[in-house]
């Protein structure tokens, strides 16, 4: 699919045939979404019978036969090698929660056009009307022959961990849950640059993550992989530590490789003297807790639309402040990562996306900032045209180095 970013709006002016005035008559958001945000566009002409005979029957039969004899040719003679399935069950959509598959479609369409706009990768939104782990895994496995990769999106924790793991085991194409790993990649890139700005390395920092869901767990894993000095993760009941008896299997595993200092208690307790706060949970962190952090601390408050620490408060105490919002400097935005990660993986027909590929993506993203590094510029803009090519090249090279590339 050359999924052109077009907007084929319907001329219909009936909203549910209710007789009410259309929502898009007074709301520009609805006006933009009418008819959907994407369409399928042919990459070859079908102008006459000769074109038809090549694009479809009888010519297409020769291609089908060749693929049947040499299955790997599917990547050369179909769209497969440059198309990603964006799959959700609608259980954890943005900050809206479990709104179901149909209501999730505007987000999945949006994700698909970001793949195309920023990575040159075609993507198809697929909203599944099931939430059982077995059902989702089996459905995606059966859809997989049509795609070069699978982007899992807005699936609630802890099911998202098992779904991703089982799909990675069963498929020989990249499977990537962006809510986990995209957030982690961009967070690591910003943290590397914040540390560089302050003359420190990742290994000099003690971090506290608020939120032990999909993003929090993935960020913790990536920070440990990158050599963080120490990191503690908190949930609603406090620090995730091995002495707690209420931990899920995922949190029990998390407790096993984090919190080397043995911090216990609340988020506020953990923040005392900490170098880094990373918020992926929502809620509000008391100002006095932020004030208790180490001098020259970094605050990445990424909840949307309301950061855990408002930037006006964070700037009183922190040397670097980042949020998930586009109206403040240093936006931690997944769109900086996933288009280039998939583009790089698809370019070399990788069988999976490894930790090394994700760290390579973070390093490339951080390097884009270069000598322009400043407290209000530790991460580039999604509209910086250098981002996707840099991430794509780094991921492709890492895939080859790690032996998961087929090209």
């Amino acid at each position: 699919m050359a999924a052109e970013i077009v907007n084929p709006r319907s001329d219909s002016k009936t909203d549910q045939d209710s007789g009410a005035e259309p929502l898009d008559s007074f709301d520009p958001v609805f006006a933009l979404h009418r008819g959907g945000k994407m369409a399928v566009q042919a990459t070859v002409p079908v102008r006459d019978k000769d074109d038809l005979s090549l694009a479809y029957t009888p010519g297409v039969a020769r291609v089908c036969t060749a693929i049947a004899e040499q299955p790997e040719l599917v990547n050369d003679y179909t769209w497969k090698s440059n198309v990603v399935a964006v799959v959700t069950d609608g259980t954890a959509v943005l900050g809206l929660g479990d709104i179901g598959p149909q209501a999730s479609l505007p987000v999945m369409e949006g994700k698909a056009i970001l793949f195309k706009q920023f990575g040159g990768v075609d993507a198809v939104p697929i909203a599944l009307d099931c939430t059982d782990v077995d059902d989702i895994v089996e459905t995606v496995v059966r859809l997989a022959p049509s795609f070069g990769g699978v982007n899992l999106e807005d699936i609630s924790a802890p099911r998202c961990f098992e779904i991703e793991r089982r799909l990675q085991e069963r498929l020989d194409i990249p499977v990537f849950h962006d809510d986990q790993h995209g957030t982690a990649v961009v967070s690591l890139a910003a943290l590397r640059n914040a540390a560089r700005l302050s003359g420190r390395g990742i290994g000099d920092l003690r971090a506290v993550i608020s939120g032990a869901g999909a993003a929090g767990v993935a960020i913790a894993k990536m920070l440990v992989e990158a050599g963080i000095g120490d990191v503690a993760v908190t949930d609603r009941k406090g620090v995730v530590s091995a002495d707690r008896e209420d931990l899920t299997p995922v949190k029990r595993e998390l407790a096993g490789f984090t919190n080397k200092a043995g911090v216990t208690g609340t988020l506020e307790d953990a923040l005392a003297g900490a170098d880094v706060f990373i918020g992926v949970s929502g809620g509000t962190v008391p100002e006095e807790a932020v004030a208790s952090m180490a001098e020259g601390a970094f605050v990445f408050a990424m909840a949307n639309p309301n950061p855990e620490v408002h930037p006006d408060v964070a700037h009183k105490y922190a040397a670097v402040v980042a949020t998930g919002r586009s109206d403040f400097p240093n936006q931690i935005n997944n769109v900086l990562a996933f288009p280039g990660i998939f583009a790089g993986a698809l370019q070399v027909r990788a069988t999976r996306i490894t930790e090394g590929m994700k760290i390579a993506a973070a390093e490339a993203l951080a390097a884009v900032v270069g000598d322009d590094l400043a407290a209000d510029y530790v991460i580039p803009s999604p509209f910086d045209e250098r981002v996707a090519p840099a991430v794509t090249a780094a991921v492709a090279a890492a895939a080859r180095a790690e032996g998961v590339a087929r090209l």
Side-chain angles (χ1 to χ4, degrees):
M1 176 181 69
E4 186 182 25
I5 303 173
V6 297
N7 198 351
R9 297 179 178 84
S10 166
D11 291 331
S12 171
K13 293 299 181 182
T14 59
D15 283 344
Q16 301 293 328
D17 294 323
S18 63
E21 188 173 4
L23 292 169
D24 55 6
S25 64
F26 56 87
D27 189 326
V29 171
F30 281 89
L32 183 141
H33 282 76
R34 179 172 286 280
K37 299 190 293 290
M38 58 184 293
V40 174
Q41 179 189 17
T43 61
V44 297
V46 185
R47 298 162 299 193
D48 52 38
K49 66 181 181 63
D50 291 333
D51 288 344
L52 184 60
S53 70
L54 292 173
Y56 199 52
T57 187
V60 73
R62 292 167 55 192
V63 180
C64 294
T65 302
I67 293 171
E69 294 172 352
Q70 300 181 61
E72 67 276 9
L73 292 179
V74 70
N75 293 294
D76 297 309
Y77 295 105
T78 73
W79 74 343
K80 179 180 172 74
S81 63
N82 194 53
V83 66
V84 170
V86 181
V87 178
T88 189
D89 64 356
T91 55
V93 181
L94 296 178
L96 304 174
D98 185 355
I99 60 175
Q102 291 191 105
S104 76
L105 268 176
V107 179
M108 300 311 115
E109 288 183 2
K111 194 83 174 188
I113 66 173
L114 295 180
F115 265 110
K116 187 66 174 179
Q117 178 71 33
F118 294 105
V121 173
D122 292 317
V124 177
I126 298 176
L128 302 179
D129 191 13
C130 58
T131 58
D132 178 77
V133 170
D134 290 339
D135 289 344
I136 292 173
V137 170
E138 292 302 323
T139 301
V140 175
V141 167
R142 283 161 173 73
L143 289 169
S146 293
F147 299 98
V150 176
N151 183 95
L152 299 173
E153 189 76 15
D154 292 349
I155 298 173
S156 63
R159 295 173 314 115
C160 60
F161 301 112
E162 184 178 0
I163 290 168
E164 182 186 50
R165 177 184 60 78
R166 287 172 56 180
L167 287 173
Q168 287 172 338
E169 290 172 353
R170 293 185 60 181
L171 299 177
D172 65 349
I173 58 175
V175 178
F176 184 86
H177 185 210
D178 186 50
D179 300 319
Q180 295 181 58
H181 311 300
T183 305
V185 165
V186 183
S187 298
L188 175 58
L191 187 57
R192 281 194 181 281
N193 275 340
R196 180 164 70 94
L197 184 67
S198 66
R200 292 177 284 178
I202 292 286
D204 301 320
L205 305 175
R206 179 171 75 85
V208 176
I209 299 172
S210 173
V217 171
I219 293 170
K221 287 182 177 179
M222 182 158 285
L223 292 185
V224 170
E225 186 76 18
I228 191 80
D230 196 11
V231 56
V233 183
T234 66
D235 61 12
R236 291 183 180 88
K237 297 183 179 180
V239 177
V240 175
S241 56
D243 61 339
R244 281 178 46 182
E245 298 180 355
D246 61 342
L247 299 180
T248 64
V250 170
K251 291 180 182 179
R252 196 174 303 117
E253 179 189 2
L254 183 65
F257 65 84
T258 60
N259 195 21
K260 292 185 295 186
V263 176
T264 58
T266 65
L267 169 65
E268 289 82 357
D269 295 328
L271 281 176
D275 301 294
V276 184
F277 168 76
I278 298 175
V280 284
S281 64
T284 301
V285 178
E287 182 172 344
E288 54 268 29
V290 182
S292 75
M293 295 178 68
E295 185 177 353
F298 313 139
V299 171
F300 294 179
M302 297 186 283
N304 269 315
N306 300 311
E308 294 89 347
V309 183
H310 193 279
D312 292 344
V313 173
H315 279 297
K316 294 181 183 179
Y317 311 101
V320 175
V321 177
T323 72
R325 289 174 44 160
S326 60
D327 53 345
F328 292 111
N330 296 327
Q331 183 189 16
I332 308 293
N333 191 326
N334 290 12
V335 76
L336 288 162
F338 70 81
I341 289 173
F342 267 100
L346 293 174
Q347 184 180 96
V348 297
R349 296 180 190 168
T351 56
R352 58 194 176 96
I353 295 172
T354 66
E355 289 301 312
M357 291 161 72
K358 288 181 276 188
I359 288 178
E363 291 174 346
L365 184 55
V368 169
V369 170
D371 294 336
D372 295 324
L373 181 65
D376 61 355
Y377 185 56
V378 297
I379 199 76
S381 163
F383 296 99
D384 188 324
E385 294 182 355
R386 298 171 297 171
V387 168
V391 174
T392 299
V395 169
R400 291 191 176 103
E402 299 207 344
V404 297
R406 285 177 284 205
L407 283 181

